[in-house]
Amino acid sequence: MGLPRAGALIFGLLCVLQLSHSSSDNDFTKVRAVNLGGWLVVEGWIKPSLFDGIPNGDMLDGVQVQLKSVALQKYVSAVGGGGGNVAVDQDAASTWETFKLWRVSDSEFQFRCFNGQFLTASNQDVISATTDSPGESETFYIERNNTMLHIKLSSGSYLQVTNNSQLTSNYRSQPGWGDDMATFQMTIAANNLHGDYQLANGYGPVQAKSVLTEHRKSFVTGNDFFLLSQNGINAVRIPVGWWIAYDPDPPAPFIGGSLENLDRAFYWAQVYGLKCIIDLHAAPGSQNGMEHSASRDGSVGWPSEVNIQKTLDVIKFLARRYADDPSLLGIELLNEPSAGTVPLNTLVSYYKQGYKIVRSYSETAYVIFCQRIGNADPMELYQADLGPTNTVVDLHYYNLFDPYYEKLNATENIRFVYEKRLPQVRALNGANGPLVFVGEWVNEWNVANASQNQYRSYGKAQLEVFGEASFGWSYWTVKCNSVHWDYEWNVRNRYLIIGGSPLERANYIILVAGCLVHLLLLTLIR
C-alpha cells in the first residue's frame, strides 16, 4: 500500500471515528438536550400545515362558539351555565352563552356548556342543557353559510327560536338565510386547541393516519440526531402520548405508529451517541387542558383513579420496553400537570408509584418529576420524598405566558434570568433531594424587533444560568414554524451559540489531525 493510500485510509478511519462518537459517554456530564416537540405529540402551532386539509377546520373539538339568533338578535344561553333550561335572551355573550364543540363528523357536532352538560333535544321539542354524556339526542347537523348556521336534528327538523325566547326543535321546513327564526350567527370565541385529538377527529381515521404517518416519517429524522450531536447536544427529550402503549391500534380517535418512531429514535440515539429521555407529555383525560396533553375541549380529567391507573400502566409499558436500552437516560412521569386542577397530594402519590414502577425495571434510569405549572413552588416536590436514587425535578422557564414579561425590554429580560432564575436554580441545587433539570426553555421573548446580538446575549444568559442546573437543560424545540423556537434555525443562523460544537471537541481535533497527516504524506511522497 502506497503512502498516499495509507494516508487516505487513516483519514477515512478518523472520519468514521468522529462520526460514530460525535457525542460519546465520555463527554456526558450534564444534560444538554433538545426536545423533539411536535413530533410524536402534535402541537399545531409548531407545524400549522398539519391542519390545512381538515374540512370545517375552524370547527374542531374544543372550539368555543357563541350562537346569536338572527331573528331576535339575542344569544343562546345555558341558564346557570348548564343543568337546566336554555334561553335565547342575552344581549351580550359570556360564559353561559359559550359552548365547546365536540366534533362527531365534519357536519355533526355536540355543544358542551360551561358546567359540562350538553345541549339536548330530548324534551318535547324544547332544547335543554341537562345531559352529561352525549348521544344521538345531543348530536346536531350543521348547515353553514360562512358564519350563518342552520342546526338540524337527525329527524330532519331544525332548531328555531320562539317569540318568548325559547329554543325548540320543531321547525319542519328548509329554512332560508334571511332573518329567519331558524338561522343563527356563529361567533368563534376561542380556537386554541390543535393537538392530536383535534387532528385525528378532524380528519377521520383514514386521512389522519396518512397525514400523521408522513409527518412522523419526515419531521424528525436520523439527520436531525446527527446535527444535534454535532452542535453540543448529548440528549433528546421525547414527548409521547399515553396512547403509545396501545400501538398499533390505540383507542379512537388516536392514531397508531408513534411506538415504531420512538424505537427509531432510540436507534438513532445509539448511532450518534445521544441519550433519550422519554417524557409522558399527554396523559389520559389530560393533566392540564392544553393541546399538547391531547385534551378534547380544554377540560382536565386526569386526576381520577381510573386515569391515574391507566397512566401508571403506560409508565410500566415504557419502562419494561426501554429499561435495558443503552440509550435510555430517564423517564419523565408526567409533563406540566396543572396546579389549578391537579392536587399536590394526588400528584405526589402518582409520582411515588411511578418511581417504584421504573425502579422495578431499572436501578439506574433517572426518574423525572415535572413541577406543576401555574401557581406552584417547585420546592413542594423536594419536600415530598419521591424516591431515594437518581431522581430529578423538571422546571420549565419561559420569559413568556405572563403579562409581567410583556413589559420587559431586552436588558430587563437578561437581568431577570440572572437575578431571578439563577438564585432559584442554585437554591434547588442545594436542596436535599432530586437533581435540577430545566426541561424546557427557549430563546424567545416579548421584545419586538430585537437584534441578533440581543438574542445572542439572551441565549448566552440562559445557557449560563440553566447550565448550573445539577442535571442540565433541554431546549424547546428541535423544529418550529416560529423560528426563534426552532433550535436548528437558531444554531444555523447563530442566534444561539452552544459550547461543545465540533470545533471545540477533542474528536474534531483528531479529525483535523487526520487531514494534516494525509496532507503531510502527500507532500513527502512528492
Side-chain angles (χ1 to χ4, degrees):
M1 182 182 294
L3 286 177
R5 292 178 62 192
L9 178 60
I10 294 170
F11 173 68
L13 289 173
L14 289 170
C15 286
V16 171
L17 178 67
Q18 193 270 336
L19 290 174
S20 62
H21 297 281
S22 54
S23 187
S24 70
D25 286 343
N26 294 330
D27 295 333
F28 201 95
T29 51
K30 289 184 181 180
V31 172
R32 301 184 304 277
V34 171
N35 286 276
L36 305 186
W39 183 38
L40 303 184
V41 174
V42 169
E43 296 188 46
W45 68 279
I46 292 178
K47 189 179 178 183
S49 61
L50 285 174
F51 291 79
D52 286 350
I54 298 178
N56 273 340
D58 58 347
M59 297 182 71
L60 300 175
D61 287 280
V63 168
Q64 298 178 34
V65 300
Q66 296 155 349
L67 303 173
K68 187 177 185 179
S69 165
V70 171
L72 299 185
Q73 288 296 295
K74 303 284 186 179
Y75 286 94
V76 177
S77 177
V79 179
N85 296 330
V86 172
V88 189
D89 60 356
Q90 296 300 303
D91 294 322
S94 186
T95 54
W96 295 359
E97 295 74 43
T98 301
F99 304 92
K100 294 179 179 179
L101 295 179
W102 278 27
R103 184 178 172 116
V104 178
S105 72
D106 60 3
S107 60
E108 299 169 276
F109 299 87
Q110 297 156 346
F111 296 87
R112 195 179 194 191
C113 306
F114 180 76
N115 290 339
Q117 297 87 1
F118 291 83
L119 296 186
T120 180
S122 61
N123 185 19
Q124 297 179 342
D125 293 335
V126 176
I127 303 299
S128 61
T130 55
T131 303
D132 294 323
S133 299
E136 183 177 354
S137 296
E138 292 72 44
T139 301
F140 301 90
Y141 294 78
I142 299 298
E143 297 173 356
R144 274 186 88 171
N145 182 8
N146 296 319
T147 62
M148 298 298 183
L149 303 183
H150 297 149
I151 305 172
K152 185 172 64 172
L153 302 182
S154 59
S155 63
S157 62
Y158 289 85
L159 269 59
Q160 68 169 333
V161 296
T162 65
N163 288 325
N164 61 349
S165 299
Q166 279 192 313
L167 185 64
T168 65
S169 59
N170 53 5
Y171 193 98
R172 307 301 181 189
S173 59
Q174 174 70 48
W177 294 109
D179 293 342
D180 202 296
M181 301 298 276
T183 302
F184 301 85
Q185 183 173 11
M186 177 181 69
T187 298
I188 294 177
N191 184 7
N192 50 19
L193 293 175
H194 293 84
D196 280 273
Y197 205 105
Q198 287 72 30
L199 186 148
N201 211 33
Y203 278 114
V206 175
Q207 185 64 16
K209 183 174 180 61
S210 175
V211 169
L212 281 178
T213 297
E214 175 58 30
H215 169 66
R216 292 164 178 168
K217 180 176 70 174
S218 60
F219 189 68
V220 172
T221 68
N223 189 52
D224 295 298
F225 278 66
F226 169 71
L227 290 173
L228 294 177
S229 73
Q230 296 299 292
N231 286 281
I233 298 303
N234 58 18
V236 288
R237 180 174 177 257
I238 311 174
V240 300
W242 62 271
W243 54 92
I244 196 171
Y246 299 85
D247 237 284
D249 298 306
F254 298 103
I255 303 300
S258 55
L259 183 60
E260 64 178 309
N261 284 280
L262 183 58
D263 287 345
R264 192 172 292 122
F266 270 81
Y267 168 75
W268 291 328
Q270 188 167 4
V271 169
Y272 296 112
L274 303 181
K275 296 293 187 181
C276 294
I277 296 169
I278 304 174
D279 154 42
L280 185 58
H281 220 66
S286 173
Q287 72 277 15
N288 56 34
M290 298 182 186
E291 67 184 19
H292 57 70
S293 64
S295 176
R296 180 170 192 173
D297 66 2
S299 302
V300 177
W302 179 77
S304 72
E305 185 176 344
V306 170
N307 282 332
I308 289 173
Q309 185 55 55
K310 282 183 180 180
T311 312
L312 292 169
D313 291 342
V314 174
I315 296 301
K316 182 177 181 179
F317 171 83
L318 294 169
R320 182 175 62 231
R321 187 177 184 90
Y322 295 104
D324 295 329
D325 194 297
S327 295
L328 178 68
L329 181 64
I331 295 177
E332 185 156 355
L333 300 179
L334 189 64
N335 178 70
E336 293 187 345
S338 168
T341 50
V342 177
L344 179 60
N345 61 341
T346 301
L347 183 65
V348 166
S349 173
Y350 164 73
Y351 277 165
K352 289 182 176 181
Q353 293 177 78
Y355 173 84
K356 290 179 181 178
I357 288 173
V358 176
R359 281 289 161 268
S360 69
Y361 291 95
S362 171
E363 291 297 323
T364 58
Y366 287 93
V367 183
I368 304 173
F369 315 105
C370 190
Q371 75 166 108
R372 296 189 296 168
I373 57 171
N375 188 21
D377 185 342
M379 190 59 74
E380 66 188 18
L381 295 181
Y382 285 83
Q383 298 165 348
D385 191 24
L386 297 174
T389 61
N390 282 14
T391 56
V392 178
V393 165
D394 178 8
L395 320 171
H396 295 176
Y397 282 146
Y398 293 104
N399 283 22
L400 295 160
F401 313 127
D402 189 291
Y404 174 82
Y405 300 111
E406 294 174 5
K407 62 185 178 182
L408 301 185
N409 61 31
T411 300
E412 291 166 338
N413 270 281
I414 293 167
R415 186 182 302 131
F416 183 90
V417 172
Y418 285 117
E419 295 180 357
K420 302 296 184 181
R421 306 290 195 206
L422 182 57
Q424 186 176 55
V425 168
R426 286 177 171 171
L428 295 176
N429 278 343
N432 183 27
L435 298 172
V436 181
F437 180 39
V438 183
E440 292 186 19
W441 65 278
V442 66
N443 200 33
E444 183 61 297
W445 47 14
N446 286 314
V447 179
N449 302 315
S451 69
Q452 183 181 38
N453 284 336
Q454 287 174 320
Y455 271 105
R456 284 180 177 176
S457 297
Y458 180 51
K460 179 175 180 289
Q462 293 186 94
L463 286 166
E464 289 178 357
V465 170
F466 303 155
E468 291 209 14
S470 52
F471 188 72
W473 53 258
S474 184
Y475 189 91
W476 188 274
T477 183
V478 63
K479 296 177 182 176
C480 188
N481 186 66
S482 300
V483 293
H484 290 290
W485 292 77
D486 184 316
Y487 170 83
E488 293 182 357
W489 182 92
N490 273 272
V491 171
R492 282 195 308 270
N493 293 279
R494 297 189 64 77
Y495 274 71
L496 188 66
I497 301 173
I498 296 178
S501 65
L503 291 174
E504 297 170 346
R505 290 204 302 266
N507 56 359
Y508 187 85
I509 295 172
I510 292 173
L511 178 63
V512 173
C515 297
L516 294 174
V517 168
H518 179 56
L519 292 173
L520 178 61
L521 291 172
L522 288 176
T523 302
L524 291 175
I525 198 66
R526 289 173 183 172

